[in-house]
Amino acid sequence: MNKKLKTQNNIITKNSKATENLGQLMAKELNGGETLALLGNLGAGKTTFLKGLAKGLGIKQTITSPTFVLIKVYPVKKKNIKQLVHVDCYRLPALELMAIGLNDYLNDPHTIVAIEWANKIKLPPKTIAIKFLHHKNPNQRTITWSKKFNKKVY
Ligand code: ADP
Ligand code: MG
């Protein structure tokens, strides 16, 4: 799977563990300052992916959806990365997000911002889009990401 991540930017996962694994692998490609837009319907696997990503960043806390708390901040001690900020825009007006300082997080080179339902807000052009698509098979998802990772980190 590591090789695949280097050369392609989509994958079909057959269970939630595989989606978590993808998140864990992708975490190793991040340096701080990245914004990840997680796109896809309810239950498509956005939070599942993020659980893996958090694990890959060395976060021990359980990642839960921040739907009712606007934003969650998890400290990170890896490379240049000091925190993972998890935002869920599902029920959130964009103005509120700006009011709670999302822009400061977006501009911080030591922060990774991961945003569920990111299609609801305007994000920097460098944002990495990660799309999650349901299949007819209930445990299968197609996941597509916009950035070609090609660093030899694994
Ligand atoms: P979202 O955050 O996009 O609303 P979640 O990650 O919270 O979605 O939920 C996805 C649900 O689908 C979980 O219950 C998970 O166990 C299940 N699931 C089944 N197959 C997969 C898969 N291949 N990838 C991700 N989740 C899956
Ligand atoms: Mg979610």
Side-chain angles (χ1 to χ4, degrees):
M1 165 128 71
N2 291 357
K3 238 184 186 158
K4 278 185 193 160
L5 196 56
K6 248 187 262 175
T7 54
Q8 71 180 52
N9 61 351
N10 66 79
I11 200 167
I12 293 174
T13 62
K14 299 220 160 87
N15 51 55
S16 54
K17 187 78 188 105
T19 297
E20 260 192 74
N21 284 346
L22 178 70
Q24 201 171 343
L25 280 175
M26 224 178 260
K28 297 186 184 160
E29 300 282 358
L30 303 175
N31 299 303
E34 290 93 349
T35 302
L36 308 177
L38 308 179
L39 307 163
N41 291 335
L42 210 59
K46 304 182 291 297
T47 303
T48 302
F49 170 87
L50 207 59
K51 280 181 206 284
L53 190 100
K55 204 168 162 194
L57 291 174
I59 295 168
K60 301 274 188 284
Q61 287 155 275
T62 307
I63 301 290
T64 51
S65 192
T67 302
F68 296 103
V69 295
L70 308 183
I71 210 163
K72 278 190 181 170
V73 180
Y74 300 90
V76 173
K77 280 187 211 136
K78 210 156 215 179
K79 292 190 273 189
N80 191 33
I81 308 169
K82 299 213 172 99
Q83 57 193 358
L84 169 69
V85 174
H86 182 192
V87 187
D88 193 325
C89 299
Y90 187 52
R91 291 172 209 276
L92 219 60
L95 267 177
E96 257 178 67
L97 277 171
M98 293 310 151
I100 57 175
L102 181 63
N103 264 337
D104 292 343
Y105 288 129
L106 292 174
N107 292 320
D108 179 10
H110 305 292
T111 297
I112 291 167
V113 184
I115 309 178
E116 299 194 40
W117 299 96
N119 51 310
K120 292 194 171 191
I121 59 172
K122 199 164 183 288
L123 289 169
K126 59 169 190 182
T127 297
I128 301 168
I130 307 172
K131 290 183 191 162
F132 300 80
L133 266 178
H134 274 290
H135 283 242
K136 275 183 196 149
N137 177 334
N139 293 322
Q140 209 163 307
R141 306 284 187 274
T142 295
I143 306 170
T144 311
W145 55 99
S146 64
K147 185 179 162 72
K148 289 259 186 215
F149 292 107
N150 52 21
K151 277 177 292 165
K152 291 185 177 113
V153 290
Y154 26 33

